[in-house]
Amino acid sequence: MAALLVLSLLQAFVVKPFQVPSESMSPTLEAGDRILADRITLIASDPRPGDVVVFSRPEAWETDAAAPSPLRRAAGWVGDLVGFGPSNLDALVKRVIGEPGTTVQCCTADGRIEVDGTALDEDYVRNDLAFAPGQLDCDSVPASSRCFGPVTVPDGSFLVMGDNRASSSDSVVKCRGTASTDGCARFVPRDQVIGTVFAIVWPLDRLSSPLG
C-alpha cells in the first residue's frame, strides 16, 4: 500500500507516464509510444513555445469516442494509479506554438507559420499540408489549407499544433483555408496542461527525447 501511495504521489507532482493516443505528433511521437511528462517544471514556469505538452482534453475539443464500460473504467483506474495500462484520463499531446498574448498566423510567402511576425523554423514537421507559392497559397482560390489566422492567443491559454500537420486535429483545425479569426481557434487553458514531455520510454527502440 505504501508503494502505491508513493507511486501515486510521484505521478501527481513529479513525473507521469502516458500513452500517445494518435498519429498527430508523428514522427516525433508515434501512436502507442509510452512517454514521460515532467510535472515539477510547470509548478514554477509556464510551457514555452516548442515544448511538447500533455493536456486534458478541453471541453471545446469535442470527441466522438463512446463512454467506457464499467470494466474499462476499473482497468483505467488501476492504470492511472500505477502509471501503466489503460487510463481514464482523456489526454492529448501537442506542441506549443503560441503563448498567451501572441498572434499566430500562416503563411509566409514560403509557407511558414509566423508568431508575432517572426517566421518559425519547424524542422520537426514532416507531413505538412499542401502549399505551392503562386499556385496554391493563401491568395489562391481556393486557398491552401495550410493557411489560417491571424489568431491571438488569450490570456491563460496556449495555441498548440501537431507535428503531423496534415493529420492533426489541433488548435487551428477549424481555421484552415480561410482568413477568419472569428472564434474558429481552440485553445488549451493553462490549468489543463498536465506536463511537458521529456522522454519516450517504450518501445525500447524509440528511447529518446522528443523535443528536437
Side-chain angles (χ1 to χ4, degrees):
M1 183 61 73
L4 288 177
L5 177 59
V6 170
L7 190 57
S8 180
L9 290 173
L10 284 173
Q11 291 188 68
F13 300 106
V14 182
V15 61
K16 186 169 180 61
F18 290 92
Q19 182 170 343
V20 177
S22 73
E23 297 180 350
S24 70
M25 283 294 295
S26 177
T28 306
L29 299 173
E30 300 291 358
D33 282 353
R34 299 296 301 197
I35 56 178
L36 296 179
D38 170 19
R39 308 200 72 178
I40 288 183
T41 302
L42 294 183
I43 295 175
S45 62
D46 289 333
R48 301 290 299 167
D51 285 348
V52 177
V53 295
V54 177
F55 57 96
S56 299
R57 185 190 297 272
E59 185 175 342
W61 296 50
E62 68 278 354
T63 176
D64 295 327
S69 67
L71 183 60
R72 173 60 179 76
R73 283 190 176 277
W77 181 86
V78 175
D80 288 332
L81 181 64
V82 302
F84 294 96
S87 172
N88 287 332
L89 180 62
D90 188 5
L92 303 176
V93 185
K94 307 289 183 190
R95 190 180 295 271
V96 175
I97 302 298
E99 299 176 283
T102 58
T103 298
V104 185
Q105 62 183 341
C106 194
C107 301
T108 62
D110 59 352
R112 291 189 289 168
I113 288 177
E114 291 181 290
V115 178
D116 287 343
T118 299
L120 302 184
D121 291 320
E122 298 187 287
D123 56 2
Y124 42 78
V125 175
R126 296 287 185 276
N127 182 30
D128 212 337
L129 294 149
F131 187 95
Q135 301 176 48
L136 182 63
D137 54 25
C138 298
D139 295 321
S140 63
V141 180
S144 165
S145 53
R146 190 183 299 189
C147 302
F148 67 85
V151 174
T152 299
V153 185
D155 290 343
S157 295
F158 296 87
L159 186 148
V160 299
M161 299 177 69
D163 290 358
N164 185 3
R165 295 285 159 80
S167 184
S168 177
S169 182
D170 51 32
S171 284
V172 297
V173 66
K174 296 184 177 181
C175 304
R176 293 193 175 281
T178 75
S180 174
T181 60
D182 186 20
C184 59
R186 311 180 301 180
F187 304 101
V188 178
R190 171 64 174 84
D191 61 7
Q192 291 186 243
V193 178
I194 297 169
T196 303
V197 179
F198 68 91
I200 302 170
V201 295
W202 187 266
L204 294 178
D205 63 354
R206 286 181 51 75
L207 291 175
S208 69
S209 165
L211 301 184

